[in-house]
Amino acid sequence: LCIGRAITGVAIGMGAACYVYVAEISLPEHRGFLSAFGPIFVSLGVLLVYSFGYLFNWQVASAACAVCAAVSASIMSLIPESPSWLLAHCKEKKARQAIVWFRGDTDQASKELADLSEAMMAKKLENEESGNQWSPFLRPSVWKPFLILVTFFIFQEGSGLYIMLYYAVNFFQESGSTMDKYVLCIIVAFMRLVMSIVGTLCIKRFNRRTMACVSGLGMALSMGVAGCYEYLYASLDVLERPLPWLPQLCIVANVCTSMLGMLQLPWIMIGELFPTTVRGIMGGLVSSLAYFFIFVVVKVYPQCLQYMHVHGMMWSFAAISLSTIVFVLLFLPETQGRSLIEIEAQFKGKKEVRKEGEPSP
């Protein structure tokens, strides 16, 4: 069991590479939409595992998960490496083939390859001039995204997002729900899947900052209302409370609105904000910190609940969700429709950058 958990943990950690890979192979106008499929498939996987656990014994559920992992590994062996990675390792011919494979257009592939080669050459010259192997990590284009993403993840965990997902069944039962707890798990997972699909469709139409603000506002309102209800009526028996369905509705609303931006955006932006030369390393580092934050908040929540009670925890979640909106408006860069080269240039302080696909002068 411990070995299985260790292997699964490594696999989950490697999931960050998926966001980096999708960001590197996608066109700017499609990058957010395609990256948002990550949370959809995570939600689908959670729903399937909950359903397998409810319908079958653990041996059958484990075998089904093993089959899914084997199929994923087989499919991954059929697709090429990202052009950016290939160029960084001096494999220009394979990089051109990869772009052609993804785009199906030789002319467009030539333009993209020229853009990537020019950016790679500029970075190589910068590294040679500095003469310091650590210099790439000390540049504003690296440490600024790092601080922004780590702070975004801290706000994400502090908003109670994962606590609501992991402890939703407990909240339902404490608010008087008599449904089977396993069925409740499946219902929450299904709602998460539906709203992750809705969030993906919204990413196609709305910019990142707007979605993060709307998601944070929805989470703050739902937790604020639920906290007030618990503060006023927690002392009463469940059957004597007015509108007993209200806290359950607030929990559903919190889970749903979290899928509109707060959950997926930090993960998506891991593949967008860092320069190519350090994207893999920094993406892995930020992902590791994010999982560490999740571990901490989920484990300390029961202890905090003893001191702050349910209404205090919900009010704190609401306050942090509102604080996230302020953070987004002040510091989160807008990346929708912008190339990775443009995003990197923004952190360097360059205002005019040639678009991907435009011919070199």
Side-chain angles (χ1 to χ4, degrees):
L1 181 62
C2 291
I3 294 174
R5 284 184 176 273
I7 295 174
T8 303
V10 172
I12 292 174
M14 290 299 294
C18 296
Y19 292 102
V20 173
Y21 182 79
V22 172
E24 290 183 344
I25 67 174
S26 304
L27 293 172
E29 60 269 25
H30 300 147
R31 188 177 60 243
F33 177 74
L34 294 176
S35 296
F37 273 84
I40 289 179
F41 287 114
V42 169
S43 301
L44 176 61
V46 170
L47 176 60
L48 289 176
V49 170
Y50 284 175
S51 301
F52 290 158
Y54 180 71
L55 298 173
F56 310 110
N57 58 39
W58 70 267
Q59 291 92 339
V60 174
S62 299
C65 293
V67 170
C68 292
V71 171
S72 298
S74 301
I75 294 175
M76 287 299 296
S77 65
L78 300 177
I79 62 176
E81 270 290 354
S82 77
S84 297
W85 186 89
L86 291 170
L87 274 178
H89 290 78
C90 303
K91 299 180 180 180
E92 184 173 341
K93 183 178 179 180
K94 289 186 176 181
R96 180 183 296 276
Q97 293 173 345
I99 298 177
V100 172
W101 191 89
F102 286 119
R103 306 287 181 256
D105 187 331
T106 304
D107 293 335
Q108 184 175 3
S110 298
K111 294 177 181 178
E112 287 193 38
L113 186 64
D115 288 338
L116 289 173
S117 299
E118 182 181 334
M120 290 285 185
M121 184 59 66
K123 293 171 188 173
K124 185 177 180 179
L125 291 174
E126 288 180 6
N127 292 338
E128 291 177 352
E129 290 175 358
S130 65
N132 185 353
Q133 61 177 341
W134 298 105
S135 61
F137 299 94
L138 302 177
R139 292 172 185 155
S141 59
V142 175
W143 62 261
K144 285 183 179 180
F146 175 77
L147 293 178
I148 289 173
L149 286 172
V150 169
T151 306
F152 201 176
F153 273 113
I154 290 174
F155 277 115
Q156 183 197 65
E157 315 324 333
S159 68
L161 189 155
Y162 284 97
I163 291 175
M164 285 294 108
L165 290 175
Y166 292 160
Y167 290 96
V169 173
N170 302 68
F171 284 117
F172 278 127
Q173 291 179 330
E174 290 174 5
S175 62
S177 176
T178 58
M179 292 184 64
D180 183 274
K181 61 181 180 179
Y182 299 110
V183 175
L184 280 173
C185 285
I186 294 174
I187 292 174
V188 172
F190 178 75
M191 291 187 302
R192 175 178 172 175
L193 173 61
V194 171
M195 292 308 300
S196 64
I197 296 174
V198 173
T200 299
L201 296 176
C202 291
I203 281 180
K204 185 71 173 177
R205 299 191 58 183
F206 304 102
N207 62 47
R208 310 282 194 269
R209 288 156 59 90
T210 299
M211 290 193 62
C213 290
V214 170
S215 180
L217 181 61
M219 294 174 66
L221 289 175
S222 60
M223 286 294 94
V225 171
C228 291
Y229 185 93
E230 289 295 322
Y231 178 76
L232 294 173
Y233 303 114
S235 60
L236 299 178
D237 185 84
V238 173
L239 297 177
E240 298 177 354
R241 298 180 185 182
L243 306 176
W245 46 265
L246 183 59
Q248 299 177 27
L249 178 63
C250 289
I251 294 169
V252 172
N254 184 271
V255 173
C256 290
T257 53
S258 71
M259 300 303 298
L260 295 179
M262 282 286 285
L263 188 141
Q264 64 266 57
L265 285 179
W267 297 103
I268 291 173
M269 298 182 84
I270 284 177
E272 293 182 326
L273 298 189
F274 289 114
T276 305
T277 51
V278 299
R279 190 173 294 140
I281 296 175
M282 297 305 296
L285 176 59
V286 172
S287 299
S288 299
L289 290 173
Y291 285 119
F292 174 73
F293 297 152
I294 294 171
F295 168 80
V296 170
V297 297
V298 171
K299 290 301 180 182
V300 303
Y301 169 73
Q303 286 72 36
C304 293
L305 188 61
Q306 294 179 1
Y307 294 98
M308 300 180 64
H309 306 291
V310 174
H311 66 272
M313 292 301 301
M314 290 183 170
W315 283 343
S316 66
F317 295 156
I320 295 175
S321 296
L322 290 176
S323 300
T324 304
I325 297 175
V326 177
F327 165 77
V328 167
L329 294 175
L330 292 178
F331 301 107
L332 192 70
E334 183 54 61
T335 60
Q336 185 187 35
R338 305 182 67 187
S339 71
L340 299 180
I341 297 175
E342 290 178 283
I343 296 170
E344 180 180 350
Q346 177 184 355
F347 286 111
K348 289 181 177 179
K350 299 178 180 179
K351 296 183 178 180
E352 295 185 4
V353 184
R354 181 167 50 84
K355 301 275 187 179
E356 280 186 8
E358 292 182 1
S360 301

